[in-house]
Amino acid sequence: MERLTTLATEAATALLSPLGLSFSLTTEPYEDGISLLIDSPDARFIIGEEGDRLDDLQYMVNRLVQAKWGDAPRVRVDCDGYRARAEAKLLRRARSRAERVLKTGTPLLMEKLNAYQRRLVHNELATIPGIATHSEETESRFKRITISRINQA
């Protein structure tokens, strides 16, 4: 993980430094990769509206890391705990909808999500017996997930 930490830190620094923002970086293990944690008094500029800039920064950090290490583990980028809070909220909504689907049998849709968010939701709901998830077939970067009940015979 030392190589991944070095590459991710270098990538984030290269992207953030030219912006003139004050920040510090730390890392910690996360799933099969690392979480790159940004602490900054300028967090609102790094996070953006509803995390859109943070998502873009995470995408760019991963692309830069993969350019130097093709099969590098994933890097999760968070700033002042924003992503952790947003992910927890997203997974609570997904579990709540899955519970409604189990009770009613009626499929429900999630809001449009990026690939990273969809992965989180699919993985989380895969742990709930009787629930199936499916992403819509579209070329769009943002897709909706259908949550449905598996008919058990």
Side-chain angles (χ1 to χ4, degrees):
M1 288 298 154
E2 187 176 327
R3 179 179 182 199
L4 182 60
T5 297
T6 300
L7 291 172
T9 301
E10 288 173 355
T13 300
L15 292 165
L16 293 173
S17 290
L19 301 176
L21 303 174
S22 175
F23 65 92
S24 63
L25 303 172
T26 57
T27 60
E28 62 184 29
Y30 180 78
E31 292 181 1
D32 61 344
I34 63 167
S35 190
L36 180 66
L37 308 172
I38 304 168
D39 184 35
S40 175
D42 300 316
R44 70 183 184 281
F45 300 116
I46 297 170
I47 296 167
E49 286 188 38
E50 298 183 21
D52 60 340
R53 289 188 193 142
L54 189 59
D55 289 341
D56 293 340
L57 179 62
Q58 177 172 288
Y59 175 79
M60 291 303 300
V61 166
N62 276 289
R63 295 294 297 189
L64 290 170
V65 167
Q66 290 168 357
K68 293 184 179 181
W69 181 10
D71 60 348
R74 297 181 59 84
V75 177
R76 176 182 178 262
V77 179
D78 197 357
C79 182
D80 288 354
Y82 175 84
R83 185 172 306 283
R85 291 187 305 275
E87 287 174 5
K89 186 176 176 182
L90 172 64
L91 295 179
R92 280 194 305 272
R93 281 195 315 272
R95 283 191 301 271
S96 174
R97 289 183 186 171
E99 289 169 9
R100 274 194 285 171
V101 168
L102 284 174
K103 287 180 185 175
T104 67
T106 304
L108 292 174
L109 288 171
M110 294 291 297
E111 62 273 19
K112 291 185 177 187
L113 304 170
N114 65 33
Y116 177 78
Q117 293 166 325
R118 289 193 308 273
R119 181 175 161 265
L120 290 174
V121 170
H122 285 300
N123 289 342
E124 179 71 17
L125 298 187
T127 66
I128 301 175
I131 288 293
T133 59
H134 176 75
S135 290
E136 64 186 348
E137 300 288 329
T138 177
E139 295 298 316
S140 175
R141 178 177 165 205
F142 296 92
K143 300 177 185 179
R144 296 179 75 168
I145 293 175
T146 301
I147 303 169
S148 55
R149 186 166 67 184
I150 299 171
N151 292 329
Q152 312 220 346

Short mmCIF file of all heavy atoms in Angstrom, two decimals, residues 33 93 96 113 115 126:
data_model
loop_
_atom_site.label_atom_id
_atom_site.label_comp_id
_atom_site.label_asym_id
_atom_site.label_seq_id
_atom_site.Cartn_x
_atom_site.Cartn_y
_atom_site.Cartn_z
N GLY A 33 -8.19 -0.92 -1.07
CA GLY A 33 -7.29 0.17 -1.46
C GLY A 33 -7.02 1.09 -0.28
O GLY A 33 -6.81 0.62 0.84
N ARG A 93 -30.71 5.33 2.54
CA ARG A 93 -31.82 5.46 1.59
C ARG A 93 -32.02 4.16 0.81
O ARG A 93 -33.15 3.70 0.62
CB ARG A 93 -31.58 6.61 0.60
CG ARG A 93 -31.88 7.97 1.13
CD ARG A 93 -31.98 9.03 0.04
NE ARG A 93 -30.94 9.00 -0.97
CZ ARG A 93 -29.77 9.63 -0.88
NH1 ARG A 93 -29.47 10.33 0.18
NH2 ARG A 93 -28.90 9.56 -1.87
N SER A 96 -33.53 1.48 3.05
CA SER A 96 -34.93 1.82 3.32
C SER A 96 -35.80 1.43 2.13
O SER A 96 -36.88 0.86 2.30
CB SER A 96 -35.05 3.31 3.62
OG SER A 96 -36.40 3.69 3.73
N LEU A 113 -27.20 7.95 -10.15
CA LEU A 113 -25.96 7.80 -9.39
C LEU A 113 -24.78 7.62 -10.34
O LEU A 113 -24.94 7.07 -11.43
CB LEU A 113 -26.05 6.57 -8.47
CG LEU A 113 -27.22 6.53 -7.49
CD1 LEU A 113 -27.30 5.16 -6.83
CD2 LEU A 113 -27.09 7.62 -6.45
N ALA A 115 -20.94 5.92 -11.18
CA ALA A 115 -20.49 4.52 -11.11
C ALA A 115 -20.05 4.13 -9.70
O ALA A 115 -20.36 3.03 -9.22
CB ALA A 115 -19.36 4.29 -12.10
N ALA A 126 -26.73 -6.30 -2.01
CA ALA A 126 -26.46 -7.72 -2.26
C ALA A 126 -26.46 -8.52 -0.96
O ALA A 126 -26.63 -9.74 -0.98
CB ALA A 126 -25.12 -7.89 -2.98
#
